[in-house]
Amino acid sequence: MFNHQKYEKKYYLPPTLSYDWVKKETVEKAPIWCSVDLRDGNQALPIPMNVEEKLEMFQLLVEIGFKEIEVAFPAASDTEFNLLRTLIDNNMIPDDVTIMVITQAREHIIRRTFEAIQGVPKAIVHLYNSTSEAQRRQVFKKTKEEIKQIAVDGAILVQELAEETEGDIYFQYSPESFPGTEVEYALDICNSVLDIWKPTPEHKAIINIPTTVENAMPHIYASQIEYIHKNLSYRDGVTLSIHPHNDRGCGVSDAEFGVLAGAERVEGTLFGIGERTGNVDLITLAMNMYSQGYDPELNFSHLDTIRKKYERLTRTTVHERQPYSGDLVFTAFSGSHQDAISKGMKYRRENNVEKWDVPYIPVDPADLGRNYQTDVIRINSQSGKGGIGYILESNYGIKLPYKMNEEMGYLTKKISDKTNKELSAEEIYRVFIEHYVDYYPLFQVIDYQFNKNGEQKVTLTLLKDNQQIEIHGKGTGSLDAVSNALQAYFGIDYNLEVYEQHSLGKSSIAEASAQIGISHQGRMYWGAGINQDIMKASVQALAAAVNKLEVF
């Protein structure tokens, strides 16, 4: 039985509530970003990365712009320990990057951690112990004072070992399982640890508040963070950090609200990789800032390349709908969406718009190294004429008249529906060529000669039933003469309603495209031609349109 009554709220509200964070509109200044891909992300992988893969991941994180990177839990395995030694012994840590190592508040683990970082120029030692009511009662069977003493003893040992270690060592403490911890109790432990470390503005400590298992709505977490922010000891000597997980699907909101509430630092991973439902996705957080016009101080201009490397190193797959990163996040299949995007892009070009404001696309895909032609509008049976016209114009320079574009849209959708698949740009172009350009089931114009003597006269050579036929016509202009010749020879009657032409490129030898629409008994028939000679293209287009008449 699906029984909701077996559950209850597991979070704790702070003793006093304030909502100053609500008055802030958005995150305007980038927090300190700390990547935990090599530790928290790595421990969630079915097959953890080896040392070589971790080194490549470390370099990727440096290239993106991370200045703080949690690289290992050195006491957890030889691989973790060896990674640190490789980074340190080979001077692979840039001067402006601080590595972080994590340790439980247990003596032998702390000592092993300091063995691993011997010789490091600069590092953060991240100390943690679990503080939640459930773990105190069920796992450790210890009182609040006993749990706090574990944190204090760990802080004392960390400080002692740091004094014996070369290099600039900074401290971080996390009350692990914070979401199930009484907020005032978590604050008391943090302040007790700070009393040991006595941080200063010149050498700050980090207090990190994790949503180890997310169990409340984001505004609850923000209120908890604001309480801690306002009541931390040594506040000017402390960097308040947050480490959101995504168990309720609210990791991004937790992080953004947490920063509004006073946090200055965010720990997370690329693409949100992490245990259970994952860590907060730092790409989403950074790009959310970027989309509002603020500098996130991380560079994702080649996000597709980053994603492919990440997938290779971690043996994971980024979901196609992952914000900003997924294959389909800039893609519109819906006809109405495609039409709006197409018109928005056209408006942007024609009006030389500086600020990005295209419907349905929150950021310019090109900023992330994505491709308009393949990423933005893709065609299936749900698509519309606007999207199909956009594909032809953006990929091939072909601009269709409105009604012709509408007909092409219905034709393409029908093919996609019948084949039950998405159509590529090449397949759409092939449909266009087969149905409008190379469409000569009845006859084909293989040559023509004009002679202007007062009126424009033309001699057309047709190929019909495998025989060449010469026909003649005259008119007020070249195309009118060709049209009159065809109507006279075949005994048909139609009106030339639409004639459009344009170049497919900017050079003097670029091909031209012509589109012609003729009407017969209230119905339009369309043809197109492509040739370096615009007259040849026009004659091709007219011949294709006439071939479609149903009077033969």
Side-chain angles (χ1 to χ4, degrees), residues 308-325:
K308 289 175 181 176
K309 181 176 287 190
Y310 200 92
E311 289 179 325
R312 173 174 58 81
L313 294 174
T314 62
R315 303 170 185 86
T316 58
T317 301
V318 175
H319 194 275
E320 60 191 13
R321 300 293 182 184
Q322 181 85 2
Y324 302 104
S325 310

Side-chain angles (χ1 to χ4, degrees), residues 297-362:
E297 299 177 12
L298 294 175
N299 184 359
F300 295 112
S301 59
H302 301 287
L303 186 53
D304 200 44
T305 301
I306 293 170
R307 188 192 73 191
K308 289 175 181 176
K309 181 176 287 190
Y310 200 92
E311 289 179 325
R312 173 174 58 81
L313 294 174
T314 62
R315 303 170 185 86
T316 58
T317 301
V318 175
H319 194 275
E320 60 191 13
R321 300 293 182 184
Q322 181 85 2
Y324 302 104
S325 310
D327 273 336
L328 297 180
V329 296
F330 296 114
T331 300
F333 290 106
S334 160
S336 61
H337 289 201
Q338 291 176 345
D339 186 58
I341 292 170
S342 179
K343 290 175 179 175
M345 297 290 282
K346 181 179 180 181
Y347 178 88
R348 180 175 175 80
R349 288 193 305 270
E350 292 177 346
N351 294 276
N352 196 27
V353 177
E354 179 182 355
K355 297 292 186 180
W356 183 259
D357 187 28
V358 175
Y360 296 109
I361 309 182

Side-chain angles (χ1 to χ4, degrees), residues 280-518:
V280 67
D281 178 8
L282 296 184
I283 296 173
T284 300
L285 288 175
M287 288 307 304
N288 283 354
M289 285 189 63
Y290 185 84
S291 71
Q292 298 285 310
Y294 300 104
D295 183 5
E297 299 177 12
L298 294 175
N299 184 359
F300 295 112
S301 59
H302 301 287
L303 186 53
D304 200 44
T305 301
I306 293 170
R307 188 192 73 191
K308 289 175 181 176
K309 181 176 287 190
Y310 200 92
E311 289 179 325
R312 173 174 58 81
L313 294 174
T314 62
R315 303 170 185 86
T316 58
T317 301
V318 175
H319 194 275
E320 60 191 13
R321 300 293 182 184
Q322 181 85 2
Y324 302 104
S325 310
D327 273 336
L328 297 180
V329 296
F330 296 114
T331 300
F333 290 106
S334 160
S336 61
H337 289 201
Q338 291 176 345
D339 186 58
I341 292 170
S342 179
K343 290 175 179 175
M345 297 290 282
K346 181 179 180 181
Y347 178 88
R348 180 175 175 80
R349 288 193 305 270
E350 292 177 346
N351 294 276
N352 196 27
V353 177
E354 179 182 355
K355 297 292 186 180
W356 183 259
D357 187 28
V358 175
Y360 296 109
I361 309 182
V363 297
D364 186 348
D367 289 354
L368 302 178
R370 301 292 286 269
N371 189 305
Y372 293 122
Q373 282 71 27
T374 58
D375 286 330
V376 176
I377 291 179
R378 290 163 58 174
I379 304 301
N380 62 17
S381 61
Q382 305 301 308
S383 305
K385 61 183 184 296
I388 291 161
Y390 177 85
I391 291 289
L392 288 174
E393 182 174 355
S394 61
N395 286 273
Y396 303 102
I398 296 168
K399 305 171 187 176
L400 300 183
Y402 181 82
K403 285 296 182 180
M404 185 181 185
N405 190 36
E406 187 176 62
E407 182 180 286
M408 174 67 185
Y410 286 124
L411 174 62
T412 308
K413 286 175 61 175
K414 186 176 181 180
I415 293 172
S416 176
D417 196 26
K418 185 177 180 179
T419 58
N420 194 30
K421 70 170 191 175
E422 178 187 349
L423 299 182
S424 67
E426 292 81 4
E427 289 171 316
I428 293 165
Y429 182 70
R430 192 158 58 244
V431 169
F432 172 72
I433 295 297
E434 290 175 357
H435 287 80
Y436 296 99
V437 180
D438 295 339
Y439 189 83
Y440 306 118
L442 300 171
F443 71 92
Q444 184 177 357
V445 177
I446 60 174
D447 195 14
Y448 57 84
Q449 296 291 329
F450 291 107
N451 179 20
K452 189 168 185 179
N453 186 10
E455 287 185 297
Q456 183 71 278
K457 297 180 180 180
V458 67
T459 299
L460 294 176
T461 303
L462 307 184
L463 181 64
K464 184 176 185 299
D465 298 330
N466 295 319
Q467 294 183 359
Q468 290 191 14
I469 303 166
E470 281 195 358
I471 66 173
H472 305 275
K474 57 185 178 180
T476 57
S478 299
L479 196 60
D480 185 49
V482 174
S483 180
N484 289 338
L486 292 174
Q487 292 190 66
Y489 175 76
F490 288 111
I492 54 178
D493 183 35
Y494 61 79
N495 293 318
L496 201 159
E497 300 279 358
V498 178
Y499 174 43
E500 294 186 6
Q501 58 181 6
H502 59 271
S503 173
L504 299 182
K506 295 181 179 179
S507 70
S508 59
I509 60 171
E511 289 189 313
S513 176
Q515 295 85 37
I516 284 179
I518 60 176

Side-chain angles (χ1 to χ4, degrees), residues 205-328:
I206 302 168
I207 292 296
N208 183 59
I209 306 299
T211 51
T212 308
V213 179
E214 187 182 38
N215 66 2
M217 294 175 70
H219 75 288
I220 298 294
Y221 184 60
S223 297
Q224 294 168 333
I225 294 299
E226 189 164 75
Y227 176 80
I228 290 173
H229 161 59
K230 291 182 175 181
N231 291 279
L232 269 177
S233 301
Y234 309 91
R235 187 64 188 90
D236 60 349
V238 175
T239 298
L240 180 57
S241 175
I242 53 178
H243 181 113
H245 278 245
N246 202 41
D247 299 87
R248 288 171 57 97
C250 300
V252 168
S253 296
D254 281 344
E256 292 179 330
F257 287 7
V259 170
L260 295 181
E264 303 138 296
R265 180 178 181 272
V266 178
E267 295 185 353
T269 60
L270 301 179
F271 311 105
I273 302 297
E275 290 190 289
R276 303 181 311 279
T277 54
N279 292 276
V280 67
D281 178 8
L282 296 184
I283 296 173
T284 300
L285 288 175
M287 288 307 304
N288 283 354
M289 285 189 63
Y290 185 84
S291 71
Q292 298 285 310
Y294 300 104
D295 183 5
E297 299 177 12
L298 294 175
N299 184 359
F300 295 112
S301 59
H302 301 287
L303 186 53
D304 200 44
T305 301
I306 293 170
R307 188 192 73 191
K308 289 175 181 176
K309 181 176 287 190
Y310 200 92
E311 289 179 325
R312 173 174 58 81
L313 294 174
T314 62
R315 303 170 185 86
T316 58
T317 301
V318 175
H319 194 275
E320 60 191 13
R321 300 293 182 184
Q322 181 85 2
Y324 302 104
S325 310
D327 273 336
L328 297 180

